[in-house]
């Protein structure tokens, strides 16, 4: 028997290459066909009918039962062939072994997982319509009575974004926040990204407010309008914005200036704390007073700087610009970089790629002109492959670089290494102002130790941009309230920080008062319940004997006394607390500063520190958001509408 045969009663025979012998006890029947013939099943079946009828009938029943079971599986759709057609499997194939799997899941759980697939995992809205996935989840969604087609998943995503908006609104609507924004272009579509952050329960919470497509020109007015609208949707008014971190783009800088003018608060009283400020200045030396005057000129007055939204320049971007200043002003460096880029581009041709692959060498990295870090990586890859380039340059002179050019490349790598490492450190999550100042000063020290022409030029470029970056009241205040790095500040900077914190506290009180007034107005405008009406009638009956004018006078007098005394007490308290925090004991640099302040005994100073320390010194989190956008707007999904892109990115970044 050349192959394994399946027929009724085949289990009662044993087979060799040319014979079949009955296994039943006492039979001894052997079937041996004539020479040259194959084994056939008919003689064996006839043998069972004649000699073993009981076993034959039993085999008939088993075969019928097997066929019935197979038909049942085919009708339920559990047997499919390679092309997905039911009931066409080969008669020789065995039926799959089935298992009953119990899944404890609700309709809401499956819908949440579907939303997670298209947001966090970046899958298309039509992912559940794909044939393989559709058949896989069909038993589950049929049992739960739900649909996961493109339209349904889109609706679920929009609904989940609305629910998440309510949660964020409840968490941040009463807080002052620090905002950072940036612009990007993906596949010919222009977007604005807005993130904001605040310290809550000892943790820095970063939230993506929006990744919204821009349909108008990216002017300062338009950017400001879209930024404010995205925050208002989350219950955050423009007056609650403490700082705005941007790059040096003229349009985003203009947006910050407009916001600063719109949120400026003019106190009719004399500037709070000015007497003490004058006393502090009297105690300074002439050099320190000169330095303080320079700081004040940059701030355009301490009082003004603290009264509106404060613009902060991105620290990473400023560091990038310092390097670009050196590269763009040095003709030799520009010439060498041009030569290196030509070599790199030639190694990226098809033939040269094969040469590198055959020799098991890494391909040279190309750079982006606006990202000097990629230029550093390119130069590093070229230096690593120098010997191989010299080798293949014997047959292709266009891949050779001169010795003078190699010396400039090595000098550049050596001189820019501190900047390169500092840039990576400044991209860490939850980076605070004190850590930035530490890295900035460390970078300056390392550059001065190198003492090469390039390193000294970069050091000078950093110092040129340092004044606009560091002479910022908000930045100095965040460093002042960080006991790990406060000692890095000079005395004039500390005085500016103290005055800024006084003004910040005043602004916090104003924002809280306006929020309370707004909430009270909303409650009054709401339709009163039956219980509220009853309480109102009881209060009216109780005060009926008092004249209305007397009631107004009594209430106003009481509010003025209590409110005025409370404000004066709190102001004096916070002034003294801020002043006493000067020269505090230094804390270990690895200490979590947010947890440290969470358990600080002075509650008002703690509240002030939570606002000041939330200051973002870079806009890296917005750039990371844009990096995620490329997984949503790929080549096959460029037609996604603006609203669904915004909802997907909102859930993706805040989940």
């Amino acid at each position: 028997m050349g192959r394994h045969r399946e027929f009724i009663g085949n289990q009662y025979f044993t087979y060799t290459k040319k014979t079949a012998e009955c296994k039943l006890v006492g039979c001894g029947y052997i079937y041996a066909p004539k020479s040259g013939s194959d084994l056939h099943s008919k003689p064996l079946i006839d043998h069972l009918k004649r000699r073993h009828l009981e076993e034959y009938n039993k085999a008939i029943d088993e075969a019928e039962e097997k066929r019935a079971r197979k038909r049942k599986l085919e009708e339920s759709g559990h047997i499919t062939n390679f092309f997905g057609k039911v009931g066409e499997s080969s008669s020789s194939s065995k039926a799959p072994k089935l298992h009953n799997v119990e899944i404890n899941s609700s309709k809401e759980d499956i819908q949440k997982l579907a939303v997670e697939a298209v947001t966090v995992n970046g899958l298309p809205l039509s992912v559940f319509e794909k044939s393989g996935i559709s058949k896989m989840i069909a038993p589950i969604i049929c049992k739960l009575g739900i649909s996961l087609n493109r339209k349904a998943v889109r609706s679920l995503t929009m609904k989940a974004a609305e629910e998440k908006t309510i949660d964020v609104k409840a968490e941040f609507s009463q807080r002052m926040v620090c905002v950072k924004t940036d612009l990007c272009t993906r596949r010919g579509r222009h977007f604005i990204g807005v993130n904001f952050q605040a310290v809550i329960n000892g943790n820095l919470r970063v939230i993506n407010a929006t990744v919204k497509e821009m349909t108008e020109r990216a002017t300062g007015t338009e950017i400001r309008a879209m930024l404010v609208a995205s925050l208002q949707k989350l219950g955050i008014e423009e007056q609650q914005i403490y700082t705005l971190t941007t790059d040096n783009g003229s349009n985003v800088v203009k947006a910050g200036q407009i916001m600063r003018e719109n949120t400026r608060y003019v106190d009719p009283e004399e500037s709070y704390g000015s007497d003490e400020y004058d006393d502090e200045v009297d105690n300074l030396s002439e050099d320190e007073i000169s330095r303080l005057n320079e700081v004040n000129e940059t701030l355009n007055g301490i009082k003004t700087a603290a009264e509106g939204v404060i613009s902060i320049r991105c620290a990473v971007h400023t560091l990038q610009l310092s390097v670009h200043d050196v590269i763009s002003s040095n003709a030799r460096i520009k010439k060498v970089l041009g030569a290196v880029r030509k070599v790199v581009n030639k190694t990226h041709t098809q033939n040269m790629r094969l040469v590198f692959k055959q020799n098991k060498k890494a391909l040279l990295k190309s750079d982006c002109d606006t990202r000097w870090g990629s230029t550093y990586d390119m130069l590093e890859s070229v230096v690593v492959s120098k010997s191989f380039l010299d080798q293949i340059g014997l047959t292709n002179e266009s891949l050779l670089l001169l010795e003078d050019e190699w010396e400039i490349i090595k000098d550049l790598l050596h001189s820019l290494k501190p900047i390169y490492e500092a840039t990576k450190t400044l991209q860490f999550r939850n980076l605070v102002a004190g850590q930035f100042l530490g890295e900035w000063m460390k970078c300056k020290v390392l550059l001065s130790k190198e003492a090469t022409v390039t390193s000294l030029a970069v050091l000078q470029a950093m110092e040129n941009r340092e004044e606009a970056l560091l002479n910022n009241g908000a930045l100095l205040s965040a460093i002042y309230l960080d006991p790990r790095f406060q000692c890095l500040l000079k005395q004039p900077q500390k005085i500016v920080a103290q005055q800024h914190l006084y003004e910040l506290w005043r602004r916090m009180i104003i924002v809280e008062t306006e929020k309370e007034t707004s909430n009270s107005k909303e409650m009054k405008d709401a339709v009163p319940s039956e219980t509220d009406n009853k309480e109102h009638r009881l209060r009216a009956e109780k005060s009926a004997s008092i004249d209305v004018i007397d009631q107004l006078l009594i209430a106003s007098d009481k509010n003025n006394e209590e409110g005025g005394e409370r404000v004066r007490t709190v102001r004096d308290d916070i002034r003294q607390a801020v002043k006493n925090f000067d020269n505090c004991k230094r804390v270990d640099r690895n200490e979590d500063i947010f947890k440290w302040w969470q358990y600080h005994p002075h509650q008002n100073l703690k509240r002030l520190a939570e606002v000041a320390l939330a200051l973002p010194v870079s806009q890296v989190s917005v750039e990371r958001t844009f990096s995620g956008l490329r997984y949503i707007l790929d080549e096959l999904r460029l037609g996604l509408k603006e609203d669904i892109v915004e909802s997907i990115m909102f859930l993706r970044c805040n989940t």
Side-chain angles (χ1 to χ4, degrees):
M1 213 169 208
R3 58 188 174 86
H4 177 67
R5 294 174 179 264
E6 291 187 5
F7 60 91
I8 296 174
N10 70 326
Q11 67 269 30
Y12 297 117
F13 297 91
T14 57
Y15 305 97
T16 63
K17 190 173 183 180
K18 296 182 178 180
T19 63
E21 182 178 355
C22 182
K23 294 192 297 185
L24 295 173
V25 179
C27 181
Y29 170 75
I30 298 176
Y31 167 56
K34 294 180 180 180
S35 177
S37 300
D38 293 330
L39 292 175
H40 297 283
S41 61
K42 189 175 184 307
L44 302 179
I45 295 174
D46 291 342
H47 170 73
L48 287 177
K49 285 183 181 179
R50 292 194 306 267
R51 299 290 182 90
H52 310 289
L53 186 60
E54 183 179 351
E55 284 77 6
Y56 175 76
N57 291 332
K58 184 178 179 182
I60 290 289
D61 293 339
E62 289 177 355
E64 286 295 332
E65 183 180 349
K66 185 176 181 180
R67 280 194 291 269
R69 188 165 60 249
K70 185 176 180 180
R71 281 195 301 271
K72 186 176 180 181
L73 291 172
E74 290 175 349
E75 291 171 359
S76 63
H78 285 85
I79 297 181
T80 61
N81 63 7
F82 181 79
F83 299 99
K85 297 179 180 179
V86 178
E88 296 183 8
S89 57
S90 172
S91 60
S92 63
S93 61
K94 294 184 178 180
K97 187 176 181 180
L98 301 179
H99 301 277
N100 292 326
V101 180
E102 183 177 348
I103 300 176
N104 295 321
S105 184
S106 65
K107 173 181 176 180
E108 290 74 19
D109 292 337
I110 299 299
Q111 290 175 336
K112 286 180 180 178
L113 293 174
V115 172
E116 181 179 339
V118 300
T119 55
V120 178
N121 304 131
L123 298 176
L125 296 173
S126 60
V127 60
F128 301 106
E129 295 178 349
K130 308 298 182 184
S131 59
I133 297 178
S134 176
K135 291 173 184 176
M136 187 188 305
I137 65 174
I140 299 175
I141 63 176
C142 289
K143 183 69 175 177
L144 295 175
I146 59 176
S147 174
L148 290 180
N149 56 34
R150 184 196 307 257
K151 186 176 180 181
V153 174
R154 188 184 196 280
S155 177
L156 290 172
T157 304
M158 299 291 288
K159 182 180 177 182
E162 291 175 2
E163 293 173 352
K164 186 66 177 178
T165 298
I166 295 173
D167 295 340
V168 174
K169 188 174 182 179
E171 188 176 12
F172 288 91
S173 61
Q174 303 295 327
R175 298 179 181 276
M176 290 192 70
V177 297
C178 297
V179 180
K180 39 192 172 180
T181 186
D182 200 2
L183 308 177
C184 83
T185 300
R186 287 287 182 271
R187 307 285 181 177
R189 297 171 67 174
H190 308 284
F191 293 88
I192 179 175
V194 180
N195 285 12
F196 65 89
Q197 58 190 49
V199 179
I200 301 177
N201 298 327
N203 294 300
L204 184 64
R205 295 272 284 112
V206 182
I207 298 293
N208 168 255
T210 189
V211 176
K212 193 172 183 64
E213 186 170 7
M214 301 191 71
T215 56
E216 303 291 338
R217 288 183 58 205
T219 62
T221 303
E222 180 66 16
I223 292 172
R224 177 256 168 193
M226 295 186 71
L227 190 152
V228 172
S230 66
L231 293 175
Q232 286 178 340
K233 190 170 69 172
L234 298 172
I236 299 173
E237 298 297 331
E238 193 172 11
Q239 287 74 17
Q240 291 175 251
I241 303 174
Y242 171 41
T243 62
L244 176 64
T245 301
T246 65
D247 56 23
N248 289 318
S250 59
N251 50 358
V252 288
V253 172
K254 179 64 176 178
Q257 292 173 352
I258 297 173
M259 293 178 68
R260 177 174 172 176
E261 292 296 327
N262 290 345
T263 55
R264 178 175 294 171
Y265 173 79
V266 179
D267 193 347
E269 299 177 359
E270 185 179 358
S271 179
Y272 164 59
S274 59
D275 292 339
E276 287 204 0
Y277 174 73
D278 293 337
D279 294 339
E280 292 285 350
V281 172
D282 292 339
N283 296 328
L284 297 178
S285 64
E286 292 183 2
D287 292 339
E288 290 177 326
I289 292 175
S290 176
R291 174 62 178 164
L292 182 59
N293 290 334
E294 292 178 5
V295 172
N296 287 341
E297 288 176 5
T298 305
L299 292 173
N300 293 322
I302 298 170
K303 178 180 176 183
T304 304
E307 288 177 351
V309 175
I310 302 170
S311 292
I312 303 291
R313 301 298 172 87
C314 175
V316 177
H317 191 254
T318 302
L319 203 56
Q320 295 257 356
L321 292 176
S322 299
V323 178
H324 279 296
D325 291 344
V326 174
I327 293 176
S328 61
S329 62
N330 192 312
R332 291 184 64 199
I333 293 177
K334 289 172 66 176
K335 183 179 179 180
V336 170
L337 289 179
V340 172
R341 290 189 179 107
K342 286 182 180 179
V343 171
V344 172
N345 290 336
K346 287 178 181 178
T347 61
H348 283 210
T349 60
Q350 183 179 1
N351 292 336
M352 291 307 302
R353 284 175 181 268
L354 291 174
V355 172
F356 273 79
K357 186 175 182 179
Q358 290 168 358
N359 288 273
K360 298 181 180 180
K361 299 294 184 180
L363 199 63
L364 302 184
K365 297 179 181 179
S366 57
D367 73 330
C368 174
D369 290 345
T370 58
R371 301 284 180 183
W372 82 266
S374 65
T375 303
Y376 185 93
D377 291 333
M378 177 186 70
L379 295 176
E380 196 171 42
S381 69
V382 169
V383 170
V384 170
S385 303
K386 181 180 184 300
S387 59
F388 184 65
L389 287 174
D390 291 339
Q391 179 183 344
I392 60 178
L394 297 175
T395 58
N396 190 345
E397 293 184 358
S398 62
L399 298 177
L400 290 176
L401 292 170
L402 301 176
E403 285 301 321
D404 291 344
E405 293 174 333
W406 281 113
E407 290 299 324
I408 294 175
I409 291 172
K410 292 177 181 179
D411 176 66
L412 265 177
L413 286 175
H414 192 65
S415 301
L416 296 181
K417 186 176 181 180
I419 303 280
Y420 183 76
E421 293 177 347
T423 301
K424 285 190 172 182
T425 304
L426 293 177
Q427 293 177 354
F428 288 169
R429 292 181 182 274
N430 301 345
L431 186 78
V432 297
Q435 292 171 311
F436 153 70
L437 181 60
E439 286 297 326
W440 183 273
M441 297 183 71
K442 172 187 172 183
C443 192
K444 289 176 61 178
V445 170
L446 293 177
L447 288 172
S448 62
K449 285 184 177 180
E450 295 293 338
T452 63
V453 175
T454 305
S455 62
L456 294 177
V458 174
L459 178 61
Q460 184 60 48
M462 287 180 64
E463 291 176 347
N464 292 340
R465 292 186 175 273
E466 182 179 277
E467 185 174 354
L469 185 66
L470 296 184
N471 291 346
N472 185 295
L475 185 69
L476 295 176
S477 297
I479 301 171
Y480 180 83
L481 290 178
D482 190 339
R484 302 172 301 174
F485 298 96
Q486 188 199 78
C487 57
L488 296 178
L489 294 180
K490 299 176 181 178
Q491 193 59 32
Q493 293 174 319
K494 289 183 178 180
I495 294 176
V496 173
Q498 291 172 359
Q499 293 297 319
H500 181 88
L501 289 171
Y502 300 156
E503 297 296 335
L504 173 59
W505 178 257
R506 184 183 66 172
R507 187 177 170 200
M508 289 170 60
I509 298 299
I510 293 170
V511 170
E512 290 175 3
T513 304
E514 290 177 349
K515 271 290 181 180
E516 291 174 1
T517 304
S518 177
N519 293 338
S520 300
K521 185 178 180 181
E522 291 177 1
M523 293 178 63
K524 288 180 181 179
D525 293 341
V527 179
S529 63
E530 185 176 346
T531 305
D532 294 335
N533 286 331
K534 185 177 180 180
E535 292 178 355
H536 180 72
R537 286 196 301 270
L538 290 174
R539 286 196 301 270
E541 292 173 0
K542 185 176 180 180
S543 60
S545 58
I546 305 177
D547 184 79
V548 176
I549 297 178
D550 289 337
Q551 293 180 36
L552 292 172
L553 293 172
I554 292 171
S556 299
D557 185 53
K558 183 178 181 181
N559 288 338
N560 285 336
E561 287 182 4
E562 294 180 354
E565 185 62 32
R566 181 180 67 85
V567 170
R568 282 192 295 272
T569 302
V570 171
R571 280 187 173 182
D572 293 340
D573 175 63
I574 200 67
R575 285 173 58 186
Q576 192 61 41
V578 169
K579 189 175 180 180
N580 291 342
F581 197 75
D582 188 10
N583 296 322
C584 64
K585 184 179 179 181
R586 189 172 69 84
V587 177
D588 186 83
R589 188 162 59 94
N590 297 319
E591 182 80 23
D592 186 337
I593 191 59
F594 303 118
K595 295 294 184 185
W596 188 87
W597 272 107
Q598 185 182 10
Y599 302 106
H600 197 276
H602 198 294
Q603 292 302 309
N604 287 335
L605 188 60
K606 171 188 167 183
R607 288 172 56 200
L608 186 63
E610 287 179 340
V611 175
L613 288 171
L615 171 77
V617 293
S618 73
Q619 50 182 167
V620 173
S621 66
V622 187
E623 294 175 351
R624 288 196 179 104
T625 299
F626 289 150
S627 296
L629 182 60
R630 64 184 175 183
Y631 298 108
I632 306 302
L633 278 183
D634 58 19
E635 292 181 352
L636 301 179
R637 289 189 283 171
L638 294 179
L640 280 177
K641 297 293 181 62
E642 173 188 341
D643 57 348
I644 188 63
V645 172
E646 184 178 2
S647 296
I648 289 175
M649 291 303 299
F650 182 72
L651 292 172
R652 179 184 176 88
C653 298
N654 298 322
T655 300

